[in-house]
Amino acid sequence: MLKSAVDIEIQKTTSRKLSEVNFEKLTFGETFSDHMLSIKYQEKGWKKPVIEPYGPLSLSPATKFLHYGQGVFEGLKAFRYQNDKVNIFRLDEHYKRMKHSCERMIVPLPEQDIFMETIKALVNLDRNWVPNEKFKSLYIRPLVFATDESLGMRESEAYTYLVITSPVGNYYKEGIKPVKLTTMPQYVRAVRGGAGEAKIPGNYAPTLYPGATAFNDGYTQVLWLDAIEQNYVEEVGTSNIFFVVDGTLVTPKLNGSILSGITRKSIIELANKWGMPVEERPVRIDELFDLAESGKLTEVFGSGTAAVVSPVGVIHHNGRKIEMDQDKMGPVAQKLYDTITGIHHGEIEDEFGWCHVI
Ligand SMILES: Cc1ncc(COP(=O)(O)O)c(C=O)c1O
């Protein structure tokens, strides 16, 4: 049994739900493990962490987060190794990003060692919920939100930090399906000076309407352009975007309105190690059409915790289309996918220190 260095109150469930779960038919984020973690912030300090049975919260209808969305979340995964050990992938990087998001939202976050040790303790207690099969995983969702009972439009004094976990299946049900993207120049996701690089609810809810419109038009997701000039490619719904141009890996430079993806970072680190040229730079949408026409654009793929890499088959913009003709992943996306999923499951050596094994 893993001994935590942090003092945690643990109340174990008396009604374990594990036997009711069909691991063959897991969807995304609809099944929840037996326990959850919470830490309350009051009077400028964090209280003792508590792990308790997963269940409903009791909240005042005036809870500030419900009205003004002052809160921050993260999304990371734990994977099972062949030897039954469990790997929480890039736990420290997810802390750093959450901290950065919290600063933007004036939201407190427990110290890094508390964050890491309590997540390890929660995952360890529910380690039988980490699926056994390759490509399945335990999704971990930390969330911190404002709990003042007040409708005053100012930052809260009290907060709750929560972590819940959810076993999730293979992202692709029937093999790899290239996604179809469309720009939507009449809508923007995030503007310079806004909070696009923070992982906060307010960046997601406004994208539902354009996302639904794109879906009705036959596209999988929206390809967001910069909000000011509507000229530069930023990212996709829940992933960053990469292009392979003449053997170089190209991805939009982080500019404050793009979420700094941890998978994006891992891909860049791998490409650097392989000696593959990488350019993080502004990418004009028109440039992509020129590159596609000249045959230099050989692969387009999204990157994110959910699917690692997802090939893009179509980009639509103002009536024009780039068709990548990808029924399967291109060679660069495939090599990245195989390497990262191999590291997830301990089949490929982790030379980078990405794995937190418990
Ligand atoms: C808006 C957005 N961009 C990019 C990503 C990819 O980030 P990561 O690789 O850390 O999952 C996500 C997913 O978290 C996202 O929600």
Side-chain angles (χ1 to χ4, degrees):
M1 184 77 182
L2 183 89
K3 232 15 218 132
S4 175
V6 174
D7 190 16
I8 306 171
E9 179 183 328
I10 299 183
Q11 304 161 13
K12 288 193 188 164
T13 182
T14 49
S15 59
R16 305 201 59 165
K17 298 181 292 242
L18 190 59
S19 58
E20 295 160 22
V21 178
N22 183 347
F23 276 82
E24 294 303 309
K25 293 207 171 128
L26 288 172
T27 49
F28 182 82
E30 291 175 317
T31 304
F32 298 98
S33 320
D34 279 330
H35 297 92
M36 63 184 189
L37 163 79
S38 66
I39 318 180
K40 294 232 178 337
Y41 182 90
Q42 282 154 355
E43 288 147 14
K44 300 195 188 307
W46 290 101
K47 306 288 173 205
K48 188 171 173 175
V50 178
I51 291 179
E52 60 196 315
Y54 174 90
L57 305 175
S58 168
L59 292 175
S60 155
T63 298
K64 197 175 290 255
F65 177 69
L66 297 179
H67 300 267
Y68 303 125
Q70 195 202 0
V72 167
F73 66 100
E74 260 305 321
L76 64 158
K77 281 179 167 176
F79 302 88
R80 195 174 285 279
Y81 282 4
Q82 291 269 310
N83 61 7
D84 254 9
K85 291 222 180 283
V86 169
N87 163 28
I88 307 176
F89 193 65
R90 307 212 73 172
L91 182 56
D92 48 349
E93 281 299 326
H94 284 277
Y95 178 80
K96 275 191 220 154
R97 185 169 70 186
M98 193 165 187
K99 183 78 186 152
H100 186 67
S101 304
C102 283
E103 278 161 11
R104 179 64 179 80
M105 299 297 284
I106 346 181
V107 168
L109 187 67
E111 293 297 326
Q112 181 163 354
D113 60 333
I114 309 276
F115 175 93
M116 295 193 20
E117 290 302 317
T118 51
I119 287 182
K120 285 184 194 170
L122 178 69
V123 172
N124 187 50
L125 183 62
D126 281 341
R127 63 188 297 134
N128 290 339
W129 287 82
V130 183
N132 246 324
E133 270 172 65
K134 196 164 176 196
F135 307 126
K136 293 186 179 174
S137 56
L138 187 74
Y139 185 78
I140 304 169
R141 166 56 59 84
L143 164 72
V144 56
F145 64 99
T147 55
D148 273 6
E149 188 176 17
S150 158
L151 299 181
M153 189 42 220
R154 61 185 168 272
E155 74 267 26
S156 187
E157 290 181 359
Y159 296 85
T160 294
Y161 168 77
L162 275 183
V163 185
I164 55 176
T165 65
S166 168
V168 293
N170 189 346
Y171 197 73
Y172 301 110
K173 284 199 183 74
E174 298 96 25
I176 310 298
K177 263 194 157 180
V179 295
K180 294 182 178 176
L181 306 179
T182 182
T183 60
M184 286 230 146
Q186 66 274 46
Y187 301 106
V188 298
R189 190 193 89 96
V191 68
R192 206 183 304 151
E197 68 177 5
K199 202 161 168 68
I200 57 171
N203 283 334
Y204 293 83
T207 67
L208 294 175
Y209 181 78
T213 310
F215 190 77
N216 286 336
D217 291 345
Y219 296 97
T220 329
Q221 290 202 2
V222 177
L223 174 62
W224 295 109
L225 300 180
D226 77 279
I228 295 175
E229 293 178 52
Q230 292 284 321
N231 192 9
Y232 296 98
V233 173
E234 297 227 311
E235 61 183 317
V236 187
T238 52
S239 45
N240 295 108
I241 190 151
F242 282 88
F243 308 95
V244 180
V245 179
D246 237 356
T248 295
L249 198 54
V250 177
T251 191
K253 189 177 162 65
L254 299 177
N255 58 2
S257 55
I258 298 175
L259 189 82
S260 164
I262 312 292
T263 317
R264 176 187 182 279
K265 190 174 170 122
S266 305
I267 287 174
I268 293 171
E269 286 173 40
L270 276 174
N272 284 336
K273 192 195 137 213
W274 295 338
M276 180 174 188
V278 178
E279 289 176 7
E280 292 178 74
R281 62 169 173 83
V283 179
R284 280 185 305 105
I285 183 77
D286 288 340
E287 178 192 351
L288 291 179
F289 281 85
D290 296 343
L291 290 169
E293 222 159 83
S294 66
K296 289 185 178 161
L297 181 68
T298 53
E299 286 182 55
V300 183
F301 57 88
S303 73
T305 296
V308 186
V309 298
S310 40
V312 173
V314 172
I315 295 179
H316 169 264
H317 174 62
N318 283 347
R320 298 164 73 200
K321 264 189 191 174
I322 297 175
E323 310 229 20
M324 293 306 295
D325 195 26
Q326 288 178 340
D327 277 345
K328 52 184 174 56
M329 284 201 205
V332 175
Q334 188 70 56
K335 186 172 173 194
L336 287 163
Y337 181 78
D338 291 345
T339 307
I340 295 175
T341 53
I343 295 174
H344 283 159
H345 291 278
E347 295 162 0
I348 294 180
E349 193 195 339
D350 168 24
E351 296 172 38
F352 301 91
W354 290 344
C355 300
H356 296 257
V357 181
I358 56 171

